[in-house]
């Protein structure tokens, strides 16, 4: 029987090794392609899911009445409404000039008056710290009858969703009863507030939400002696408290109720 030459044996071994390496490389290549495809699918899915989840957050309150958003006033720790003497009616200061307010947050006072700056447009109902108008602009909104719900930097994401949902209940610009804005109260705002020479930088201890309104006698709205700043502080978000506050203090009892 003829013996195989050593060279043929080596070639056979080498060919076998090459075949195995080729199969292994094809398997690795297929695996890499599979991983890349999976990542691509996930990326596309994430891009598509983002707007969907945003829509779900927006729409989950569509069938929820205003008073049912968030907690009840009691559960939200809403304090008694406070009224203080107001000033600043028709006191327009140059746009860009910082004003020192006497309350945190403000409910009245001198304010800016410039087209496209102050007051803030009625179409926006919710602001973040990144796009909120200056305090001096928002105080002009208060003079026009807006209720502003301020939230500090400690609110949760769920509470922000609730505040956005409340804002959506007041969408539009044709119904002046929907003069509503939710806006942040930031650490930077503390520099523009002072009480009796002492800095008042925060809401009352334990509270994170504040509602403010600039009251004037509907029978004589320009009479300064009747004007008041109205405040209510809460520990959490309460659509019912917002509804009660805006019912008790509507846009009609402010210095300039017919101005947008």
């Amino acid at each position: 029987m003829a013996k195989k030459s050593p060279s043929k044996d080596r070639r056979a071994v080498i060919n076998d090794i090459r075949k195995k390496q080729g199969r292994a490389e094809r398997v690795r290549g297929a695996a890499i392609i599979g991983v890349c495809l999976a990542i691509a699918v996930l990326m596309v899915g994430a891009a598509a899911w983002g707007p969907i989840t945003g829509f779900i957050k927006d729409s989950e309150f569509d069938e929820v009445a205003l008073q049912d958003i968030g907690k009840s006033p009691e559960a939200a720790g809403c304090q008694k409404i406070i009224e203080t003497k107001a000033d600043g009616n028709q006191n327009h200061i140059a746009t860009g000039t910082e004003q020192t307010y006497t309350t945190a947050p403000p409910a009245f006072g001198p304010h800016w008056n410039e087209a496209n700056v102050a007051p803030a447009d009625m179409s926006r109902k919710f602001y973040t710290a990144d796009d909120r108008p200056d305090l001096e602009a928002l105080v002009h909104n208060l003079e026009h009858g807006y209720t502003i719900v301020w939230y500090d930097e400690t609110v949760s994401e769920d509470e922000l969703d609730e505040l956005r949902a409340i804002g959506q209940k007041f969408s539009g610009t044709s119904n002046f009863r929907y003069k509503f804005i939710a806006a942040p109260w930031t650490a930077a705002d503390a520099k523009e507030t002072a009480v009796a020479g002492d800095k008042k930088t925060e809401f009352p201890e334990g509270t994170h939400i504040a509602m403010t309104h600039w009251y004037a006698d509907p029978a004589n709205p320009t009479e300064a002696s009747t004007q008041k700043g109205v405040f209510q502080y809460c520990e959490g978000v309460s659509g019912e408290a917002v509804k009660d506050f805006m019912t008790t203090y509507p846009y009609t009892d402010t210095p300039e109720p017919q101005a947008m």
Side-chain angles (χ1 to χ4, degrees):
M1 184 175 179
K3 294 183 179 180
K4 293 182 180 178
S5 68
S7 61
K8 289 183 178 179
D9 289 340
R10 283 196 298 272
R11 282 197 297 271
V13 171
I14 291 171
N15 288 336
D16 187 53
I17 292 173
R18 286 175 176 170
K19 287 180 181 179
K20 291 179 178 178
Q21 287 177 337
R23 286 196 296 270
E25 288 175 358
R26 287 194 294 273
V27 170
R28 283 197 297 271
I32 291 171
I33 293 173
V35 170
C36 291
L37 288 173
I39 292 173
V41 169
L42 288 173
M43 292 176 65
V44 172
W49 184 247
I52 291 173
T53 55
F55 173 77
I56 290 172
K57 282 188 175 182
D58 291 343
S59 63
E60 68 176 307
F61 293 100
D62 286 351
E63 304 302 321
V64 179
L66 170 62
Q67 64 270 21
D68 295 327
I69 297 175
K71 302 175 180 177
S72 68
E74 295 76 19
C78 293
Q79 301 181 356
K80 290 183 178 180
I81 291 175
I82 301 169
E83 295 181 349
T84 65
K85 182 175 173 52
D87 58 46
N89 181 214
Q90 287 294 311
N91 187 350
H92 298 153
I93 58 178
T95 300
T97 303
E98 288 190 0
Q99 170 65 31
T100 299
Y101 291 104
T102 58
T103 61
F108 54 84
H111 48 275
W112 297 348
N113 179 36
E114 182 179 334
N116 300 321
V117 176
D121 193 274
M122 187 179 170
S123 62
R124 284 290 302 273
K125 308 296 182 175
F126 178 88
Y127 290 96
T128 68
D130 294 329
D131 61 9
R132 194 208 72 186
D134 290 281
L135 292 180
E136 294 84 357
L138 290 176
V139 171
H140 200 156
N141 287 84
L142 289 164
E143 186 185 48
H144 286 189
Y146 285 71
T147 288
I148 299 183
V149 177
W150 309 81
Y151 60 92
D152 72 10
E153 295 169 321
T154 68
V155 296
S156 67
E157 288 298 323
D158 287 343
E159 289 172 322
L160 288 177
D161 289 340
E162 291 166 350
L163 288 170
R164 289 189 187 94
I166 289 173
Q168 290 169 1
K169 299 300 181 183
F170 298 101
S171 61
T173 59
S174 60
N175 188 344
F176 279 13
R177 293 188 180 278
Y178 288 2
K179 287 184 174 182
F180 171 93
I181 288 175
W185 175 258
T186 69
D189 297 324
K191 298 177 181 178
E192 298 186 45
T193 61
V195 177
D198 296 326
K199 290 293 184 183
K200 179 172 179 164
T201 63
E202 299 175 349
F203 300 168
E205 185 176 0
T207 64
H208 311 288
I209 305 292
M211 291 179 278
T212 62
H213 179 81
W214 189 338
Y215 171 86
D217 181 2
N220 192 4
T222 60
E223 175 54 52
S225 63
T226 67
Q227 295 183 8
K228 296 179 286 188
V230 185
F231 306 81
Q232 186 173 28
Y233 296 93
C234 300
E235 296 174 11
V237 176
S238 172
E240 183 179 351
V242 171
K243 181 178 180 180
D244 292 345
F245 187 90
M246 294 182 68
T247 299
T248 304
Y249 299 96
Y251 82 96
T252 52
D253 64 6
T254 48
E256 298 181 46
Q258 298 307 320
M260 185 175 286

